[in-house]
Amino acid sequence: MRTFFRHLRIGHRLVLCFSLILLLMIAGAWLAVSSTRHARESLMQLVVRSNARQADIRDMRALIERQDRIGQRLALVNSVEDAQNDMAAIVDDTVSYRRIEKRFAAQAETVQERTMIGRMEDYDRSVAPTLEVAQASVKGYNPGMAARMLDREAAPLHAAWLHVLDDLAELQNQRVATEIQALSAYADRNDLVIGGVAVLASLMAAFVGWRLTLSITRPLKQAVLFASAVGSGQLDIPLPRSSDDECGMLLLALKVMATQLQEANARMQRLAIEDGLTGAFNRRHFDDVLHAEHERARRAALRRRDDGAVEEAAHLALLLIDVDHFKHFNDRFGHPAGDACLRAVVSAVREAGLRPGDFVARYGGEEFVVVLPSCDLSGAACVAERIRQKVETLHARGEPELAAPVSVSIGLAAMCDARDSTPADLLRAADLAMYDAKHNGRNQVRQRALECCSAVEAPAVAPA
Ligand SMILES: Nc1nc2c(ncn2[C@@H]2O[C@H](COP(=O)(O)OP(=O)(O)OP(=O)(O)O)[C@@H](O)[C@H]2O)c(=O)[nH]1
């Protein structure tokens, strides 16, 4: 269920939850209406049934009482004809009575009712012979005899009979009262059930609402935390596990934004230290690196060995490389060819077997610098010579970007005790050495050692 919810959009979740609550409310209302209607119908049916039965009891009672009254009148009639008519009326009433009693008995619902009806049927059977004798007496012109028979035999039975009918009427009233009581108890129970359902529906609605709110606010909080982390610069923060809804999509979009920002930052950092044309580092970064390397060499110099010898790490060399007659090259082949030449020179420098810690930068225009940490004058001279040769043979080796052969003049300076000199000293010495190379015919390496370092002869170089 939870997983199912995680895959739903927020809008779909809202529709689903509100539909569920609406469904519960409709079900509750339907339950209330239908149970009330059912109770009302049952009560109405009971009242109708009870009224009909009370009417039957009243009719049976009236017929029995009438028979008594006619029986009493028989003693007073003046003619045989009147006596016969009265006797016929008694017999008709008996027939009518039996018809009603039959219907009444057929609709009897309780054992008590059936027992009472059984007693009435007993009375009926008991009074039948008396009626026959009375009938015969009337036929035999003796209505007085018939009246006496009826008074003596039938009237006591009728009295008991009427009692049973009264009991039956009372029973009907009791039944209605009991049914009304039961219905009222049922209505009370129903109220409880409806109230319970309403409370349950409200609780469910509250629970569903709470879960729904959580399912929206929790990922939103995650998104806020994630956005804050990204805003504070934690661009590599991992994407938290989230739902597939709009909050999940927001988190995903934030992650994409953070990744793009990270890439843009990396690009900007590279652009800040790189020369756009040649791919070598730029002048600003060179200044930083030269100062850092000078500081590192100075610290190494402070750790001089006991025998006074200089640690290799205390050495620092710098090459200043200038492309020869580059103005002429530009004028002859155009600036795009000049740009390609500068790129080719940088690739030649990189091919000259530099160590991982060595650093190549464009110093400006057609000038490049190479910082050689932990490298003494003789080692730097070898590197410089390799660079010079690589550049000189570039065109011959088929460098496609290079329009004509080029050469470089390299000024080399090295220091073995950074405590007594500054990065500017090293740069100035390399610059002077480079001018030496220019003035001595170009395409060669010249060197200047700072005080503590003994001069090393530069390898023999053929001028360009
Ligand atoms: N194509 C191109 N040319 C540049 C760039 N930067 C500087 N230059 C050119 O490099 C030339 C440098 O000329 P100069 O300083 O006279 O030096 P040179 O002609 O090499 O003479 P020497 O150094 O004495 O051998 C100028 O013509 C600049 O316009 C660049 O990025 N691309």
Side-chain angles (χ1 to χ4, degrees):
M1 183 73 174
R2 209 170 153 186
T3 325
F4 168 71
F5 250 81
R6 286 169 65 88
H7 290 293
L8 287 182
R9 299 267 181 277
I10 293 175
H12 295 164
R13 267 186 239 169
L14 283 171
V15 169
L16 195 72
C17 289
F18 285 129
S19 308
L20 200 73
I21 292 166
L22 197 70
L23 212 70
L24 271 172
M25 284 167 66
I26 290 172
W30 177 81
L31 197 73
V33 169
S34 73
S35 63
T36 309
R37 195 181 56 215
H38 173 73
R40 203 189 306 124
E41 279 171 4
S42 329
L43 187 62
M44 276 169 66
Q45 279 169 9
L46 179 73
V47 169
V48 168
R49 224 168 40 241
S50 171
N51 284 346
R53 290 184 77 72
Q54 290 284 16
D56 280 348
I57 292 169
R58 272 197 306 277
D59 289 348
M60 287 189 285
R61 210 173 192 291
L63 287 167
I64 289 168
E65 283 174 340
R66 204 155 76 114
Q67 284 181 25
D68 276 347
R69 276 199 307 277
I70 294 171
Q72 285 162 7
R73 208 170 60 199
L74 266 178
L76 306 171
V77 291
N78 297 323
S79 65
V80 174
E81 200 176 285
D82 285 347
Q84 282 176 344
N85 284 341
D86 281 347
M87 199 60 223
I90 289 175
V91 172
D92 283 351
D93 283 354
T94 306
V95 172
S96 299
Y97 170 86
R98 284 183 184 147
R99 189 167 36 79
I100 296 168
E101 191 196 56
K102 199 173 169 193
R103 187 179 63 217
F104 192 86
Q107 289 167 359
E109 287 171 10
T110 63
V111 176
Q112 205 178 357
E113 231 177 342
R114 273 193 284 275
T115 311
M116 288 179 177
I117 292 166
R119 275 168 60 196
M120 282 163 32
E121 284 167 350
D122 286 346
Y123 292 141
D124 195 17
R125 271 193 294 278
S126 305
V127 89
T130 310
L131 279 181
E132 280 173 20
V133 173
Q135 225 175 345
S137 301
V138 170
K139 276 187 186 160
Y141 304 106
N142 194 353
M145 167 82 172
R148 278 193 299 279
M149 281 286 294
L150 289 173
D151 186 43
R152 200 176 58 239
E153 305 287 336
L157 277 173
H158 281 168
W161 204 327
L162 288 173
H163 271 302
V164 175
L165 278 168
D166 287 344
D167 288 348
L168 259 176
E170 182 56 29
L171 188 69
Q172 289 306 314
N173 287 338
Q174 274 176 10
R175 275 203 61 203
V176 171
T178 313
E179 284 289 323
I180 286 173
Q181 234 174 358
L183 273 173
S184 138
Y186 172 77
D188 287 350
R189 256 199 330 273
N190 223 13
D191 286 350
L192 269 179
V193 171
I194 290 164
V197 169
V199 169
L200 196 74
S202 309
L203 284 176
M204 272 188 75
F207 177 74
V208 167
W210 173 63
R211 294 295 310 172
L212 186 68
T213 311
L214 267 191
S215 77
I216 296 167
T217 53
R218 207 181 271 158
L220 264 181
K221 269 187 206 156
Q222 271 185 333
V224 169
L225 286 177
F226 189 81
S228 310
V230 170
S232 68
Q234 297 175 51
L235 300 180
D236 53 350
I237 185 171
L239 185 68
R241 197 168 153 266
S242 175
S243 46
D244 290 348
D245 58 13
E246 287 82 348
C247 295
M249 289 194 274
L250 177 67
L251 269 172
L252 216 63
L254 282 171
K255 179 64 189 168
V256 170
M257 195 182 81
T259 311
Q260 282 175 354
L261 213 60
Q262 211 173 3
E263 285 168 8
N265 275 356
R267 246 195 330 270
M268 268 167 60
Q269 272 169 9
R270 220 173 41 248
L271 284 175
I273 59 171
E274 229 179 58
D275 170 49
L277 176 67
T278 61
F281 290 109
N282 61 18
R283 169 76 178 269
R284 189 172 348 108
H285 193 45
F286 159 71
D287 289 340
D288 293 343
V289 170
L290 184 63
H291 276 86
E293 286 301 334
H294 180 268
E295 181 55 26
R296 187 196 52 73
R298 200 181 64 81
R299 282 198 307 272
L302 287 171
R303 298 193 301 267
R304 255 173 203 279
R305 294 209 306 258
D306 293 342
D307 59 2
V310 181
E311 271 192 44
E312 190 186 66
H315 291 279
L316 179 62
L318 179 70
L319 311 183
L320 189 58
I321 305 166
D322 189 285
V323 182
D324 295 331
H325 301 300
F326 190 55
K327 184 176 180 330
H328 176 66
F329 189 96
N330 257 340
D331 293 344
R332 190 169 155 209
F333 300 106
H335 264 73
D339 290 348
C341 171
L342 294 178
R343 281 193 293 270
V345 168
V346 169
S347 68
V349 173
R350 285 192 177 127
E351 281 171 21
L354 298 181
R355 292 188 300 197
D358 297 344
F359 174 89
V360 183
R362 187 177 180 197
Y363 192 64
E366 87 290 19
E367 279 182 328
F368 298 94
V369 279
V370 180
V371 180
L372 303 169
S374 308
C375 185
D376 63 10
L377 198 61
S378 60
C382 291
V383 175
E385 179 53 24
R386 281 206 302 275
I387 290 173
R388 190 197 64 76
Q389 284 176 11
K390 282 278 178 197
V391 175
E392 188 180 31
T393 56
L394 260 179
H395 190 258
R397 285 187 285 125
E399 168 60 46
E401 281 201 284
L402 198 57
V406 284
S407 65
V408 287
S409 299
I410 303 177
L412 152 62
M415 60 167 66
C416 55
D417 192 346
R419 289 174 304 175
D420 302 328
S421 52
T422 62
D425 294 338
L426 191 66
L427 199 53
R428 201 173 308 112
D431 200 30
L432 290 173
M434 198 269 290
Y435 277 105
D436 284 351
K438 286 278 181 195
H439 291 137
N440 278 294
R442 297 184 173 81
N443 191 19
Q444 57 188 274
V445 178
R446 288 284 152 171
Q447 64 192 37
R448 292 272 175 124
L450 293 178
E451 284 156 20
C452 66
C453 306
S454 57
V456 175
E457 281 300 315
V461 172

